[in-house]
Amino acid sequence: MQKLLNYVGGELVSPASGEYFENIDPSIGEPYSMIPDSGIEDVALAVNAAGKAFPSWSRTSPEERYEILMRVSRIIEENLEDLARAECIDNGKPLSLARSVDIPRAVSNFKFYATAAIHFASESHSSAGSSINYTLRQPIGVVGCISPWNLPLYLFTWKISPALAAGNCVVAKPSEVTPMTAFLLSEICIEAGLPAGVLNIVHGTGPNAGAEIVKHPGVKAISFTGGTATGEWIAREAAPKFKKLSLELGGKNPNIIFADCDFDEMLETTVRSSFANQGQICLCGSRIFVERPLIEQFCGEFVERVKGLKIGDPLETGTNVGAVVSEPHMEKVLSYVELAKEEGGTVLTGGKRADVNGRCSNGYFVEPTVIEGLEHDCRTNQEEIFGPVVTIQPFDEEEEVLSYANSVRYGLSSTVWTSDLKRAHRVAENLEAGIVWVNTWMNRDLRTPFGGVKDSGMGREGGFEALRFFTEEKNVCIAY
Ligand code: NAD
């Protein structure tokens, strides 16, 4: 079985302990590769390599960094098909999705931050004709990037590329549930000629490898995407050490549908915003609120569409719904369906582990599930499920739906469907969320600030925000 390797100091190396653990293909429920079980020693080696590379990398010109990050982007693009297949096998997502979203986005992340490096500028302030202040934005040093399993290469590169573009050296850890494309990225970085130690990738579990990155005194900033509970732990550990923190955490996003919306467009997008990537996108709208005059039509047509989604082998063309990422995650999602029933919910479609024949008969598939009849404040509607499960609730008034939408601890994204322009602005202003989509979903412009409020995190990624995060400001004041 293939053994993945860490990428440290420009070389592919085994973990210091020599220990590995299994990497499972969720669509067949069997191991297919082995993951380094890295720990304190591996992280120390990686931080050391990054520290050695920092002085020269931080002094490269933005143009030099542009050249090399563009080279990484191009090689990812040249290998799109292989990477998409690897992502599909590792994660369970449909190949078509990995091909059209995950890997193209990894290409864009490197391209975007390669060019951002040469456009990034800082401020200067002229003070009453007597002095001038200018701000230097200098790279921080060695930074840690830790990412989750749902959009593996997509989110991994979303952190790494701005960190490198700003002149930092990186110690990164992908999720141990989906490490394959991060491993392939290390091979790509070697091919692209990224200088040794500029990027180091350490594989392993959160409590071992991940926690050691957070604790290491040589790591000056942490960019983390993952669950809120992990984010809390990282914040507790990093705050007394005054590390810079960017935390992108969980969500429980509302999808608010007013009766005056464009019904067909809303319906088509709502199927995607509910079940794309098996509902395992932090931006999926899992709580659907429908204005009462539309509720009957919506439930009928939405459930029909959902029943038409093809669940199956993620490698096959035409599959809409692949496997969820792991057996424990499947059990968690199904336990929430049971909870919803106990809380008085009615399952309109789905609700069970899905049977898929042939190669995937032991895979972790969950039927796309639609539930109605629950109160907005029950656990099913308050806790993050992060799977192919949505609830539908009717509402009568704008104020009422805003109070339902804002009643959760999270505040990542939200979607609003209406053709009333004034209402769209009003609702957008009053939603407690970092992102509001009106008459669209997951419509991303990489220049915009990305992140959540409340327990969905702190800080913003995207655009120059990420370059600001990955640099330290210094004010220089010159009198004249
Ligand atoms: P997770 O928190 O379990 O793991 C995320 C990463 O953190 C993994 O690499 C893991 O190994 C590592 N980790 C775990 N414990 C750690 C520790 N003590 N110290 C350091 N690192 C540690 O999350 P997950 O299950 O991989 O991902 C799902 C979660 O991610 C969901 O809550 C989802 O909403 C969230 N998510 C958020 C966004 C966003 O942009 N806000 C995007 C995608 C996913």
Side-chain angles (χ1 to χ4, degrees):
M1 213 178 300
Q2 183 186 8
K3 280 185 174 167
L4 307 192
L5 295 167
N6 290 334
Y7 173 46
V8 177
E11 290 182 4
L12 297 174
V13 295
S14 308
S17 66
E19 299 291 325
Y20 291 80
F21 56 98
E22 290 178 337
N23 186 22
I24 313 270
D25 171 349
S27 66
I28 57 171
E30 280 176 28
Y32 79 103
S33 58
M34 302 298 290
I35 308 167
D37 193 0
S38 310
I40 189 164
E41 255 183 275
D42 306 280
V43 170
L45 287 170
V47 175
N48 188 37
K52 277 195 185 143
F54 179 69
S56 55
W57 180 250
S58 61
R59 282 197 292 269
T60 51
S61 67
E63 286 74 13
E64 286 170 292
R65 295 199 291 276
Y66 162 84
E67 288 294 342
I68 200 151
L69 297 181
M70 282 302 283
R71 227 160 31 235
V72 174
S73 171
R74 273 194 291 272
I75 303 176
I76 297 175
E77 197 164 21
E78 282 160 20
N79 290 282
L80 192 145
E81 198 52 38
D82 289 349
L83 287 162
R85 203 181 154 83
E87 203 72 290
C88 163
I89 292 168
D90 216 28
N91 174 279
K93 66 179 66 210
L95 178 58
S96 55
L97 189 72
R99 211 183 249 151
S100 60
V101 175
D102 292 76
I103 310 305
R105 180 54 195 275
V107 172
S108 305
N109 288 341
F110 270 103
K111 199 181 283 178
F112 182 87
Y113 280 108
T115 54
I118 52 180
H119 290 284
F120 191 42
S122 61
E123 308 80 26
S124 96
H125 306 88
S126 174
S127 309
S130 61
S131 63
I132 186 152
N133 288 272
Y134 65 88
T135 309
L136 283 178
R137 289 191 180 274
Q138 298 173 303
I140 299 172
V142 178
V143 301
C145 296
I146 301 175
S147 61
W149 49 256
N150 62 323
L151 300 165
L153 192 64
Y154 173 140
L155 290 176
F156 197 56
T157 54
W158 182 230
K159 299 185 174 305
I160 289 169
S161 50
L164 297 178
N168 300 283
C169 290
V170 176
V171 176
K173 193 192 88 63
S175 169
E176 64 273 36
V177 186
T178 53
M180 184 55 89
T181 47
F183 169 68
L184 297 174
L185 178 68
S186 46
E187 296 183 326
I188 288 171
C189 289
I190 293 171
E191 188 184 338
L194 189 70
V198 168
L199 171 63
N200 304 273
I201 301 177
V202 178
H203 293 275
T205 66
N208 290 336
E212 294 304 334
I213 294 173
V214 175
K215 287 190 219 162
H216 198 293
V219 176
K220 302 297 179 197
I222 305 283
S223 173
F224 169 79
T225 299
T228 294
T230 314
E232 274 175 37
W233 184 88
I234 291 176
R236 268 201 303 276
E237 190 64 35
K241 300 186 178 79
F242 307 109
K243 297 191 181 200
K244 245 181 147 177
L245 275 184
S246 164
L247 300 173
E248 300 296 337
L249 310 176
K252 187 77 179 174
N253 308 315
N255 178 6
I256 303 175
I257 300 167
F258 287 95
D260 63 359
C261 70
D262 177 329
F263 187 85
D264 293 340
E265 207 182 322
M266 175 280 296
L267 192 66
E268 198 177 323
T269 306
T270 295
V271 174
R272 268 195 319 117
S273 68
S274 303
F275 299 114
N277 205 35
Q278 297 69 249
Q280 303 166 136
I281 300 180
C282 53
L283 307 167
C284 279
S286 55
R287 296 178 295 146
I288 305 175
F289 298 103
V290 185
E291 202 173 8
R292 197 160 319 258
L294 205 61
I295 187 89
E296 217 170 294
Q297 184 190 0
F298 176 79
C299 284
E301 295 195 29
F302 181 63
V303 168
E304 260 333 286
R305 289 278 188 109
V306 175
K307 282 181 177 163
L309 293 173
K310 185 170 177 281
I311 311 171
D313 188 338
L315 285 169
E316 270 176 22
T317 318
T319 293
N320 304 117
V321 180
V324 297
V325 79
S326 67
E327 188 168 23
H329 192 57
M330 175 181 73
E331 298 301 343
K332 176 191 155 182
V333 171
L334 292 173
S335 77
Y336 270 101
V337 177
E338 290 315 305
L339 175 69
K341 289 187 209 158
E342 284 163 27
E343 290 182 320
T346 305
V347 175
L348 298 181
T349 183
K352 299 191 299 298
R353 182 174 182 169
D355 288 326
V356 174
N357 294 329
R359 193 183 81 88
C360 296
S361 56
N362 292 323
Y364 313 130
F365 294 84
V366 175
E367 294 172 343
T369 302
V370 182
I371 301 170
E372 69 165 2
L374 290 168
E375 296 297 325
H376 75 277
D377 55 357
C378 68
R379 277 186 56 205
T380 309
N381 274 329
Q382 293 285 317
E383 297 175 15
E384 186 182 42
I385 301 174
F386 212 53
V389 178
V390 296
T391 64
I392 304 177
Q393 296 156 80
F395 70 90
D396 295 293
E397 304 292 336
E398 197 178 298
E399 286 293 312
E400 177 196 4
V401 76
L402 277 168
S403 75
Y404 295 163
N406 292 336
S407 69
V408 295
R409 64 191 284 227
Y410 300 106
L412 186 53
S413 73
S414 49
T415 309
V416 182
W417 291 95
T418 181
S419 55
D420 179 337
L421 189 61
K422 286 185 180 170
R423 173 154 61 199
H425 287 297
R426 237 182 3 250
V427 172
E429 205 171 297
N430 287 300
L431 277 167
E432 293 169 0
I435 301 155
V436 181
W437 278 299
V438 179
N439 299 332
T440 183
W441 175 73
M442 218 166 146
N443 189 331
R444 291 282 295 121
D445 179 326
L446 302 192
R447 294 169 300 180
T448 60
F450 179 92
V453 298
K454 305 201 289 192
D455 290 5
S456 289
M458 56 188 257
R460 293 291 180 274
E461 299 188 299
F464 290 138
E465 296 291 331
L467 293 181
R468 289 191 193 104
F469 173 76
F470 282 118
T471 48
E472 199 71 79
E473 298 95 330
K474 181 188 287 171
N475 186 66
V476 180
C477 177
I478 300 180
Y480 59 87

